[in-house]
């Protein structure tokens, strides 16, 4: 499999939907509308049918699970060109940004950024939920997506910061990194990432991956300073008729 698609598969395994089906290698996913990744078809590999037919099945699956039809595809790939030729359009109004950079870095010794007030827990605390997911009372879809798998929940004292660390094969997948405004620029984000790396290394991870909208300049700058580089980009696409209804 193409290296970009291999990493996409690993990242998808770290972010499991509530409902999933397949069209060939494509993954059809739904999670009650919680996040684009968990509610889109991951269009990697061979769908086993023509792309127009595969897209019809994406729409059918989305209709059954009451989510808008959408695909996630590696930017510049042959599959993306086929999706465009089938009449779909980039979902430029996607709330979190329709074009996403997938960043990677080897796991390195994070001792320089370690802090005693940062802990990786085996279960999320109410403070973690509030900061990482925006609610102290997450719904069933949020709980499923964020707690399924080999997960570590990083938090800082007094709920100042949070991060989700998931290990899939040799990859640490980082998400939900958040620091409260009054605690920023104190090295807390770096400490959360360092703690995640140490936790993941003990579970066989050798590299780290994360996904950031290309419009999120502060996050991109932070990760660049920590040695992350862009591996590839992916983009969300929707049917043209859906674009006209937005």
């Amino acid at each position: 499999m193409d290296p970009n698609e291999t990493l996409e598969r690993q990242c998808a395994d770290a972010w499991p939907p509530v409902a999933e089906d397949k069209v060939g290698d494509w993954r059809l996913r739904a999670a009650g509308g919680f996040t684009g990744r968990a509610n889109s078809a991951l269009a990697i590999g061979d769908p086993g049918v023509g792309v127009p037919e595969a897209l019809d099945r994406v729409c059918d699956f989305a209709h059954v699970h009451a989510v808008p039809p959408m695909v996630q595809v590696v930017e510049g790939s042959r599959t993306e060109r086929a999706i465009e030729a089938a009449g779909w359009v980039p979902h430029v109004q996607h709330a979190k940004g329709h074009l996403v950079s997938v960043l990677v870095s080897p796991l390195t010794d994070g001792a320089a950024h370690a802090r005693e007030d940062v802990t990786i827990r085996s279960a999320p605390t109410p403070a973690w939920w509030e900061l990482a997911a925006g609610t102290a009372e997450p719904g069933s879809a949020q709980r499923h997506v964020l707690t399924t798998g080999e997960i570590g929940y990083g938090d800082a004292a007094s709920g100042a910061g949070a991060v989700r660390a998931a290990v899939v094969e040799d990859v640490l997948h980082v998400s939900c990194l958040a620091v409260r405004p009054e605690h920023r620029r104190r090295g807390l984000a770096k400490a959360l990432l360092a703690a995640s790396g140490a936790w993941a290394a003990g579970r066989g991870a050798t590299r780290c991956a994360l996904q950031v909208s290309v419009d999120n300049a502060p996050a991109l700058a932070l990760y660049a300073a920590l040695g992350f580089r862009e591996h590839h980009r992916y983009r969300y696409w929707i049917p043209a008729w859906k674009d006209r209804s937005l």
Side-chain angles (χ1 to χ4, degrees), residues 202-220:
R203 287 157 178 80
T206 61
R207 56 189 177 132
C208 180
L210 50 85
Q211 295 132 309
V212 184
S213 167
V214 298
D215 297 324
N216 191 343
L220 291 171

Side-chain angles (χ1 to χ4, degrees), residues 86-121:
W88 285 44
V89 296
H91 189 6
V92 295
Q93 296 188 34
H94 189 269
K96 297 292 186 178
H98 84 293
L99 183 59
V100 178
S101 177
V102 180
L103 307 178
V104 295
S105 172
L107 287 189
T108 57
D109 182 4
H113 301 298
R115 288 174 41 161
E116 293 183 357
D117 60 342
V118 172
T119 304
I120 303 294
R121 304 182 187 275

Side-chain angles (χ1 to χ4, degrees), residues 113 115 160-161 178-192 217-219 221-222:
H113 301 298
R115 288 174 41 161
V179 176
R180 294 193 183 280
E182 63 271 24
H183 294 278
R184 292 174 184 168
R185 294 184 173 84
R186 301 179 186 177
L188 190 51
K190 294 178 181 178
L192 287 162
L222 168 66

Side-chain angles (χ1 to χ4, degrees), residues 67-93:
V67 296
M70 182 168 65
V71 294
Q72 175 190 341
V73 62
V74 174
E75 183 192 31
S77 64
R78 182 173 60 182
T79 300
E80 185 180 59
R81 293 192 293 272
I83 290 170
E84 182 177 23
W88 285 44
V89 296
H91 189 6
V92 295
Q93 296 188 34

